[in-house]
Amino acid sequence: MKSKLTAVALAAVVVAGTAATAVPAAAAPAKAQPTRCHTADLKAGFAMGEDARPEMEQTEKQTQAHIWFSNRSNRTCTLSGFAGVDMVGAQGTDGTWSLARSSKRPEKMTLEKGDTVDFSITLLPVAGSTPQKEKFVPAKFLVTPPNETEHFTLKWPFGGQILKQDGATHPATYLNPVGL
């Protein structure tokens, strides 16, 4: 009798073991992929470190300013693409200049809570003596994260002026994708 019960118990273990290994991996619960970051998930600002500050006092070459996004939410999220950047001028004749995008390809950036990523804006500073109609004096930047409609308003902290090319096909002032 003992051997019959042992055989039945052993068969049950084998069947249970077989059933457990026969479950396809696709049926196992998958970890949810992070969704994109929304404006409410983020903080934004200009990078202020010495090596991140644009050289607005020189007028010989292009320079770069950097804007960062930091994930302030409690979830992991992603950013991919170009931010929307509108510069608002300080002069009455400046108006608002929506910056053109570079030809660089965006990459998907994954931000865990507290992570920060930036993007650069290439600028072409001009001398203060440049005629008013040829220069743009930045006062603030309206920065919209990729694929969002709400923006951050950032005061321009660096001074200087930029060659006004808001109608140019290939302006010397443009922005790069997030992460580049």
Side-chain angles (χ1 to χ4, degrees), residues 87-152:
M87 294 190 306
V88 178
Q91 305 177 116
T93 58
D94 284 341
T96 300
W97 178 357
S98 295
L99 295 184
R101 297 174 173 181
S102 74
S103 60
K104 293 183 179 177
R105 297 250 182 226
E107 297 178 15
K108 184 183 260 186
M109 308 302 295
T110 301
L111 299 169
E112 293 184 21
K113 179 181 179 177
D115 283 352
T116 299
V117 66
D118 71 349
F119 65 93
S120 62
I121 299 173
T122 300
L123 308 160
L124 182 58
V126 295
S129 60
T130 302
Q132 183 175 348
K133 66 180 184 172
E134 295 176 23
K135 67 181 175 183
F136 186 94
V137 180
K140 58 186 171 180
F141 281 52
L142 309 178
V143 180
T144 308
N147 304 307
E148 286 292 295
T149 57
E150 293 184 39
H151 67 265
F152 296 97

Side-chain angles (χ1 to χ4, degrees), residues 152-164:
F152 296 97
T153 300
L154 306 177
K155 184 179 178 199
W156 176 248
F158 304 114
Q161 48 276 326
I162 301 164
L163 181 61
K164 190 170 188 172

